[in-house]
Amino acid sequence: MSDLLQLTDENFQSEVIESKLPVLVDFWAPWCGPCRMLGPIVEELAGEYEGKVVFAKMNTDECPATPSSYGIMSIPSLLLFQNGEVADRAVGMRPKKALQEWIDGTVG
């Protein structure tokens, strides 16, 4: 696994809300098949957007408070934060190209 930022309920504020760069948060769980399929795509994108967008993962089983506070009802869910706010969200498995278009359309 690449060095994607691993989020917890404790570091979410400092790593996501206070980030100067946009942050894409992948809410996932180890038992979720689509999450495991999306993981490598998110890792590839992290390399391509290095320095422009921070990519992070949050295990919803280990850290339930934050996902619930953002209304995460199903996983995988991707939330894109800009300036501490949710700029957009995508739910479910998406192909890489669709995610690239989504990120580019949201963060410019």
Side-chain angles (χ1 to χ4, degrees), residues 5-20:
L5 184 59
Q6 300 300 312
L7 295 175
T8 63
D9 291 330
E10 292 74 31
N11 73 1
F12 193 86
Q13 176 76 27
S14 62
E15 297 291 356
V16 177
I17 304 305
E18 297 170 10
S19 176
K20 302 287 183 239

Side-chain angles (χ1 to χ4, degrees), residues 3-108:
D3 55 351
L4 292 181
L5 184 59
Q6 300 300 312
L7 295 175
T8 63
D9 291 330
E10 292 74 31
N11 73 1
F12 193 86
Q13 176 76 27
S14 62
E15 297 291 356
V16 177
I17 304 305
E18 297 170 10
S19 176
K20 302 287 183 239
L21 290 173
V23 182
L24 184 145
V25 180
D26 177 8
F27 291 94
W28 73 288
W31 50 264
C32 165
C35 297
R36 290 199 313 269
M37 290 166 45
L38 188 62
I41 296 170
V42 170
E43 289 184 27
E44 274 182 48
L45 291 171
E48 293 172 19
Y49 286 88
E50 192 168 348
K52 295 184 213 116
V53 178
V54 174
F55 282 73
K57 293 177 80 71
M58 180 170 250
N59 183 327
T60 58
D61 286 350
E62 293 174 358
C63 306
T66 301
S68 122
S69 73
Y70 284 98
I72 302 297
M73 299 292 198
S74 61
I75 52 174
S77 283
L78 302 175
L79 266 58
L80 199 44
F81 289 81
Q82 270 189 291
N83 304 316
E85 301 287 325
V86 177
D88 204 359
R89 58 178 66 215
V91 179
M93 177 62 196
R94 303 273 174 99
K96 182 178 175 185
K97 181 148 182 53
L99 287 175
Q100 286 171 311
E101 290 169 358
W102 175 65
I103 293 166
D104 292 343
T106 304
V107 300

